[in-house]
Amino acid sequence: MKRIKVLGSGCRNCEITAKVIQQAAQEAGVEIELEKVTDIAQIMGYGVMSTPGVVVDGVVVHSGGVPGPDQARAWVTAGTESADA
C-alpha cells in the first residue's frame, strides 16, 4: 500500500489535490493511505516551501499547484505493475 501525504494549510488547492489523488487510486484499483498534513513545521521539514505538496512513500514528488490526473495516476501506480503478476 502506498502512503501518500498532501502537505498544505487545508486550502482549496490542497483539498482538490487530495481528491485528484484519491480518484486516481480508485480508478487504478490501487489501495492507498492518504494523510493530510497541515502543520507548518512538518511541511517545512520536507523542504516544501510552496503548497500543496505531495509526498509518496517518504519522497516529495510535487510542490506548488494542483497536480494533473496523469501525474497522480503515475504516483499511485508506480511500482505496482508487477505486484499482481
Side-chain angles (χ1 to χ4, degrees):
M1 176 183 334
K2 294 219 175 260
R3 297 185 192 319
I4 301 177
K5 297 181 182 185
V6 175
L7 312 177
S9 63
C11 66
R12 179 166 161 70
N13 282 348
C14 298
E15 293 298 323
I16 292 170
T17 297
K19 286 179 183 173
V20 167
I21 293 168
Q22 285 174 325
Q23 184 170 351
Q26 185 177 14
E27 288 174 1
V30 176
E31 192 174 337
I32 63 167
E33 179 183 308
L34 185 64
E35 178 185 350
K36 296 176 188 173
V37 177
T38 57
D39 181 71
I40 298 300
Q42 280 186 306
I43 294 169
M44 291 186 72
Y46 283 102
V48 170
M49 303 304 272
S50 180
T51 61
V54 179
V55 177
V56 178
D57 293 333
V59 178
V60 176
V61 295
H62 179 81
S63 69
V66 176
D70 290 339
Q71 263 184 308
R73 195 172 306 107
W75 298 331
V76 300
T77 60
T80 62
E81 292 81 13
S82 61
D84 295 328

